[in-house]
């Protein structure tokens, strides 16, 4: 077997069970991975230097194809309402068939860390059959020093074989699906097949940390984070498209990370060593740091359209998918943290892209309201972001990350509630979505206004504003903020048709109430009382 690169010679591919491999390329850096990817026809170099690949028919994650092994460890600890069961026998069949499928292949391996805090990190070894996948995960997770690789022993092993097609009867997957993500928490193995979408790998590490960390007093969070010059860190929760990456990339604050973090006794820490930014309509004017990081050597682009002659990317072209992506290491952002760690947060921002256009641009949340909105995890999807999606649809993804939660949402919610109370954290709900009407009628909330409001929240000045009680959602909304158009702060005033606003707002309140029924027995009376409820007519 041909092997290149640096590795622990006492803990090679055979320890996982691989036999008959043609070779393994261990811990290759950017340049050789570019060469392998281009030689194999996997990707192309575009103007600026990034490596651009296509992910085929999967241009996003496939959560319905994610399965978790049921055994003594998971039977009573996994939240089965939100996770699909897989038998140990089906997983073993898949594992053995993966080993057989890999025979004669050259694989790429990266030895990495998930977690910037050494107390809580997991050692993740990732085998891929595609070179660009190896570069992707190398840029997204935390890279050990080269000197550490000779003694590296993995705790978690991920194998990603897009060319393998599962059989539903033999492997326990969905009937008719050619894709599987299978997780065995006891053996600490993740098997991914049938999809070239690279995000499945990074989310598998996140899911694993979500399973193990709560027992250690760490709440894993689907959020971005940054820290101010005075050490005042902030968390930004939100689903895809709400602005987690954009709003945390603040030139006046140090970026901790853009997607996944833990909060434990020592403060917050990034799970990753890179960023995975949406780049549809990316521009140097609106997002200069992300634009610069995207257009350079070492960055991996997914499904970005580019001119075949000039190789210049067209970030406005969503013809392959609206979910075009850019993956790059954190140090491509000039003011990114080198440690990936910070103290306990002073502010928590919960981001929603309300495409119904009835939520205010910012609201102050009480601790009970924060728990309510964290468990609700509301945003709204609009046409074009997913195949077959028409108009506006609400999405309630509990803890702002339901597909990645192996445990019951209340476990994460209770941990977060306790940390918020202990460290007296201020919580805010920010609508980065629409105002003046629903999607298609109203306009997107001006990013300048959102940034102004966030700056006021983070520097503490917003706490001194005058607040009104929102008649639909019950939370506190500032009545005026310097630099923000006054009418923006009261969505009712931005709508021409006041009766339609009232009808739309009442409908959204009902959606919140109906969604929260499943959590009511897991929360206290104060959280139940924090539910939206139309109290008075709008004025």
């Amino acid at each position: 077997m041909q092997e290149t690169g640096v590795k622990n010679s006492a803990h090679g591919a055979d320890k996982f069970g691989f036999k008959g491999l043609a070779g393994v390329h261990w811990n290759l850096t950017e340049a050789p991975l570019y060469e392998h990817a281009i030689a194999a026809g996997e990707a192309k170099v575009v103007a600026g230097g990034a490596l651009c690949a296509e992910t085929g028919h999967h241009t996003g994650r496939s959560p319905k194809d994610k399965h978790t092994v049921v055994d003594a460890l998971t039977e009573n600890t996994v939240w089965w309402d939100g996770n699909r069961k897989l038998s140990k026998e089906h997983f073993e069949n898949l594992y053995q068939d993966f080993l057989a499928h890999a025979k004669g292949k050259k694989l790429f391996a990266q030895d990495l860390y998930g977690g910037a805090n050494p107390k809580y990190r997991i050692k993740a070894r990732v085998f891929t059959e595609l070179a660009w996948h190896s570069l992707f995960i190398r840029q997204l997770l935390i890279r050990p020093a080269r000197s550490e690789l000779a003694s590296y022993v993995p705790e978690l092993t991920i194998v990603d074989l897009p060319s393998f097609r599962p059989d539903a009867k033999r492997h326990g997957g969905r009937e008719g699906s050619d894709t599987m993500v299978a997780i065995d928490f006891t053996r600490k193995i993740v098997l991914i097949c049938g999809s070239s979408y690279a995000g499945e790998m990074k989310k598998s590490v996140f899911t694993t940390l979500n399973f193990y960390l709560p027992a250690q007093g760490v709440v894993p969070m689907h959020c971005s984070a940054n820290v101010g010059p005075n050490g005042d860190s902030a968390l930004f929760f939100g689903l895809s498209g709400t602005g987690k990456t954009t709003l945390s990339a603040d030139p006046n604050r140090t970026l901790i990370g853009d997607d996944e973090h833990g909060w434990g006794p020592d403060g917050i820490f990034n799970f990753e060593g890179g960023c995975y930014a949406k780049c549809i309509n990316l521009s140097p004017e609106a997002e200069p740091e992300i634009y610069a990081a995207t257009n350079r050597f070492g960055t991996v682009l997914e499904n970005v359209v580019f001119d075949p002659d000039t190789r210049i990317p067209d970030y406005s072209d969503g013809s392959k998918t609206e979910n075009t992506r850019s993956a790059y290491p954190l140090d491509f952002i000039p003011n990114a943290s080198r440690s990936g760690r910070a103290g306990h947060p002073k502010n928590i921002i919960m981001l929603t892209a309300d495409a119904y256009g009835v939520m205010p641009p910012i609201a102050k949340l009480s601790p009970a309201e924060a728990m309510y909105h964290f468990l609700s995890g509301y945003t709204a999807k609009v046409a074009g972001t997913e195949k077959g999606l028409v108009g506006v649809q609400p999405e309630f993804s509990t803890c702002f990350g339901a597909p990645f939660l192996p445990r019951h949402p209340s476990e994460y919610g209770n941990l977060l509630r306790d940390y918020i109370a202990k460290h007296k954290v201020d919580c805010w709900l920010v609508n980065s979505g629409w105002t003046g009407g629903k999607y298609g009628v109203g306009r997107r909330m001006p990013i300048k206004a959102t940034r102004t409001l966030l700056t006021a929240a983070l520097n503490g000045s917003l706490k001194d504003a005058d607040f009104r009680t929102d008649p639909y959602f019950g939370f506190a909304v500032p009545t005026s903020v310097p630099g923000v158009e006054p009418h923006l702060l009261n969505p009712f005033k931005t709508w021409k048709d006041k009766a339609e606003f009232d009808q739309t707002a009442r409908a959204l309140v009902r959606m919140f109430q109906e969604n929260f029924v499943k959590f009511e027995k897991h929360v206290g009376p104060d959280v139940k009382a924090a539910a939206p409820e139309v109290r008075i007519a709008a004025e």
Side-chain angles (χ1 to χ4, degrees):
M1 183 174 70
Q2 178 195 1
E3 295 189 271
T4 62
V6 182
K7 76 170 197 306
N8 179 352
S9 57
H11 206 97
D14 59 308
K15 295 292 186 183
F16 181 73
F18 285 119
K19 294 176 182 176
L21 294 176
V24 182
H25 298 293
W26 293 93
N27 297 303
L28 297 190
T29 56
E30 291 86 343
L33 286 171
Y34 264 61
E35 292 167 357
H36 281 287
I38 293 164
E42 297 174 8
K44 292 183 178 177
V45 180
V46 296
L51 189 70
C52 189
E54 292 187 24
T55 63
H57 67 289
H58 283 292
T59 57
R61 289 178 297 98
S62 186
K64 292 180 181 178
D65 291 305
K66 187 175 177 181
H67 306 267
T68 302
V69 172
V70 186
D71 59 18
L73 175 65
T74 61
E75 189 169 11
N76 298 314
T77 55
V78 165
W79 175 44
W80 293 115
D81 286 349
N83 291 271
R84 287 174 171 76
K85 293 181 176 181
L86 187 69
S87 71
K88 290 190 289 184
E89 293 73 22
H90 279 136
F91 186 89
E92 179 62 22
N93 288 344
L94 186 64
Y95 167 72
Q96 293 296 338
D97 290 350
F98 258 53
L99 298 181
H101 186 77
K103 282 183 179 177
K105 292 184 181 294
K106 284 186 180 179
L107 299 182
F108 298 86
Q110 293 287 340
D111 291 332
L112 302 160
Y113 294 137
N117 187 329
K119 287 184 188 176
Y120 306 113
R121 72 187 179 198
I122 192 166
K123 293 179 178 178
R125 173 170 285 177
V126 186
F127 289 100
T128 66
E129 65 176 321
L130 298 177
W132 81 264
H133 273 188
S134 194
L135 177 60
F136 171 93
I137 202 64
R138 176 181 175 79
Q139 305 297 51
L140 261 293
L141 293 184
I142 297 170
R143 296 162 293 284
R146 300 293 281 179
S147 59
E148 297 176 52
L149 296 175
S151 58
Y152 182 99
V153 176
E155 298 165 292
L156 169 70
T157 302
I158 298 172
V159 184
D160 193 338
L161 303 177
S163 66
F164 182 89
R165 294 293 181 267
D167 176 84
K169 289 182 180 176
R170 178 166 170 77
H171 303 128
R174 281 196 307 145
E175 196 68 45
S177 175
D178 63 354
T179 302
M180 272 191 81
V181 178
I183 302 177
D184 187 326
F185 285 121
T186 297
R187 297 165 72 176
K188 294 185 178 174
I189 296 172
V190 180
L191 304 175
I192 303 169
C193 59
S195 172
S196 293
Y197 184 70
E200 296 284 14
M201 293 183 287
K202 90 179 202 88
K203 288 305 185 190
S204 295
V205 177
F206 184 44
T207 300
T208 302
L209 290 169
N210 277 336
F211 181 75
Y212 290 106
L213 289 183
Q216 299 176 63
V218 174
V219 52
M221 304 172 294
H222 187 213
C223 68
S224 58
N226 63 24
V227 60
N230 298 319
D232 54 312
S233 64
L235 303 177
F236 299 77
F237 287 96
L239 299 168
S240 179
T242 57
K244 279 200 321 297
T245 299
T246 300
L247 295 171
S248 59
D250 184 331
N252 300 310
R253 295 172 66 84
T254 298
L255 180 69
I256 306 297
D258 82 329
D259 196 39
E260 302 167 4
H261 293 81
W263 185 2
D266 304 332
I268 62 172
F269 61 98
N270 196 355
F271 288 169
E272 301 186 300
C275 298
Y276 194 32
K278 290 189 79 167
C279 49
I280 191 71
N281 297 321
L282 180 65
S283 73
E285 296 78 25
E287 300 172 271
E289 293 87 5
I290 296 172
Y291 186 88
T294 295
N295 291 279
R296 62 180 283 185
F297 179 83
T299 291
V300 178
L301 301 183
E302 286 182 327
N303 302 311
V304 173
V305 176
F306 57 87
D307 185 287
D309 297 320
T310 66
R311 296 289 180 92
I312 295 173
D314 182 357
Y315 297 114
S316 66
D317 190 331
S319 58
K320 291 180 182 175
T321 176
E322 291 277 323
N323 191 36
T324 53
R325 292 278 183 164
S326 167
Y328 49 84
L330 263 170
D331 58 20
F332 280 17
I333 298 291
N335 61 332
S337 167
R338 295 300 179 261
S339 70
R341 299 174 64 179
H344 300 287
K346 292 192 174 179
N347 288 278
I348 286 177
I349 314 295
M350 296 184 186
L351 297 164
T352 178
D354 175 29
Y356 293 97
V358 297
M359 299 190 89
I362 197 164
K364 180 84 168 65
L365 301 178
S366 69
E369 288 169 338
M371 177 79 162
Y372 182 92
H373 285 279
F374 179 69
L375 288 176
S376 297
Y378 166 71
T379 195
K381 300 180 195 174
V382 297
T385 56
E386 288 187 7
K387 285 182 181 177
L389 187 63
V390 179
V392 178
Q393 286 188 12
E395 180 178 14
F396 291 94
S397 185
T398 185
C399 306
F400 297 97
F404 323 118
L405 305 183
R407 297 179 178 274
H408 192 277
S410 62
E411 290 194 45
Y412 308 103
N414 290 334
L415 267 174
L416 185 70
R417 176 201 62 203
D418 293 345
Y419 275 117
I420 288 172
K422 183 176 180 179
H423 299 286
K424 299 179 173 60
V425 183
D426 289 319
C427 299
W428 309 86
L429 185 70
V430 169
N431 174 20
S432 59
W434 277 257
T435 189
K438 292 181 183 179
Y439 167 78
V441 178
R443 60 169 174 150
R444 193 78 192 249
M445 197 71 71
I447 192 166
K448 185 179 177 183
T450 303
R451 287 197 181 278
T452 300
L453 291 166
L454 277 175
T455 298
L458 298 182
N459 69 23
S461 64
L462 192 55
K463 286 196 288 185
D464 298 326
D466 291 327
F467 288 84
R468 66 178 177 87
T469 299
D470 187 274
Y472 297 93
F473 295 93
F475 41 47
V477 180
T479 55
S480 66
V481 177
V484 178
E485 304 165 49
H487 67 284
L488 269 182
L489 294 166
N490 190 340
F492 179 75
K493 294 181 179 179
T494 68
W495 282 55
K496 290 180 181 176
D497 189 331
K498 309 300 186 189
E500 186 182 0
F501 174 91
D502 180 67
Q503 183 181 5
T504 305
R506 288 172 183 269
L508 183 56
V509 166
R510 285 194 298 274
M511 293 177 206
F512 266 94
Q513 293 169 340
E514 290 164 4
N515 172 72
F516 204 78
V517 168
K518 58 182 175 284
F519 299 122
E520 287 183 346
K521 65 181 180 182
H522 300 284
V523 300
D526 58 333
V527 177
K528 282 191 223 178
E533 182 181 351
V534 181
R535 293 161 173 83
I536 56 173
E539 296 178 0

